Amino acid sequence: MRILIIEDEAKTAAFLRQGLSETGFTVEVASEGDEGLQLALGTENDLLILDVMLPGRDGWSILEALRAGGKHTPVLMLTARDAIEDKVKGLELGADDYLVKPFAFSELLARVRTILRRGPVRQDTILTVADLQLDLPRRRASRAGTVLDLTAKEFALLELLVRRRGEPLSKTLIAEQVWDIHFHSDPNVVEVAIRRLRSKVDDPFASKLIHTVRGVGYVFEYRAE
Ligand code: CA
């Protein structure tokens, strides 16, 4: 199994290289961001250990570029900062796990093994329907090249509709999936949210993608004129 380590601190990199090599992994180390990204894109690795603070290009930017480039190599992020926002950011960008420095090698090894057992995440990073594109790692939607200004919930709602395109979805199902409401869900919540979403996704454009299915809910699909 091949592991690429992108880490600028020589001591940490040496300690990881030695420990992982002794455990039986083939290890390569990059100490600079741009070089690290080139290696991550250009070689097949089973795992990437990625430091956040790097010279050149930082770990966030490497992770984003990697996922945008369609590379699903599992990523374990390393950081010195124990900020919850960092963890959320890393996981949203498509990191598989997160380890705060300093850490014991045994802890790192346990995380590495867990990630490798899971295997690579074979998830689409970009969903496309007609001229609509959803960039999942960046949580960004666009139509005909125009970026849509969506809230996090609106993006989640759109993602659900797009993932299940062509399938009529009930308001109950939408409420459960997007708002995690399981009981007494108020259909108004969904109606209002769909109206807002349509005003951004459909109203400014000629072809409509969100359609009402009477007595059921909504379906997302492209209908040729
Ligand atoms: Ca660093």
Side-chain angles (χ1 to χ4, degrees):
M1 291 248 180
R2 289 179 53 92
I3 298 184
L4 171 63
I5 300 168
I6 308 179
E7 164 64 271
D8 61 313
E9 289 158 39
K11 260 174 77 177
T12 309
F15 149 82
L16 290 177
R17 184 203 283 274
Q18 189 189 343
L20 291 167
S21 301
E22 284 172 4
T23 314
F25 293 101
T26 304
V27 182
E28 191 167 11
V29 177
S31 58
E32 194 270 336
D34 292 300
E35 177 205 357
L37 176 62
Q38 290 317 312
L39 279 173
L41 286 170
T43 57
E44 286 307 318
N45 297 287
D46 297 289
L47 179 72
L48 181 58
I49 297 179
L50 181 57
D51 187 31
V52 172
M53 302 304 287
L54 290 167
R57 192 185 259 276
D58 72 14
W60 304 129
S61 155
I62 292 175
L63 179 57
E64 241 183 307
L66 201 65
R67 294 300 186 237
K71 272 273 186 182
H72 302 294
T73 314
V75 172
L76 174 62
M77 301 285 294
L78 303 181
T79 183
R81 290 173 297 170
D82 187 13
I84 185 77
E85 308 85 73
D86 273 7
K87 177 169 184 167
V88 170
K89 186 173 178 184
L91 297 177
E92 277 184 350
L93 286 173
D96 296 81
D97 205 350
Y98 189 94
L99 202 52
V100 175
K101 292 178 184 174
F103 50 83
F105 182 74
S106 58
E107 192 184 357
L108 175 111
L109 190 59
R111 302 286 186 99
V112 164
R113 289 193 161 133
T114 303
I115 295 172
L116 291 176
R117 255 200 313 273
R118 262 189 244 143
V121 190
R122 294 269 175 237
Q123 204 189 35
D124 291 336
T125 52
I126 307 234
L127 300 177
T128 306
V129 178
D131 60 355
L132 177 104
Q133 272 206 342
L134 287 194
D135 182 335
L136 298 175
R138 295 178 190 201
R139 314 301 290 168
R140 199 164 71 179
S142 62
R143 266 201 85 170
T146 305
V147 174
L148 307 175
D149 181 22
L150 303 183
T151 65
K153 275 294 171 204
E154 286 166 347
F155 187 91
L157 173 58
L158 184 58
E159 183 183 348
L160 171 70
L161 292 169
V162 172
R163 281 191 185 282
R164 299 182 66 168
R165 55 190 172 270
E167 182 184 343
L169 302 178
S170 70
K171 290 171 194 170
T172 308
L173 182 138
I174 293 171
E176 284 175 6
Q177 299 276 315
V178 178
W179 285 272
D180 205 21
I181 305 171
H182 291 280
F183 301 101
H184 314 297
S185 59
D186 181 354
N188 281 325
V189 174
V190 177
E191 284 166 22
V192 169
I194 289 279
R195 198 178 311 140
R196 291 213 180 110
L197 190 62
R198 275 178 161 155
S199 75
K200 296 177 180 181
V201 172
D202 273 349
D203 293 355
F205 303 93
S207 65
K208 310 303 175 198
L209 296 170
I210 302 168
H211 307 277
T212 302
V213 182
R214 256 176 234 290
V216 181
Y218 305 94
V219 64
F220 189 94
E221 64 189 357
Y222 172 70
R223 294 175 180 172
E225 297 304 317

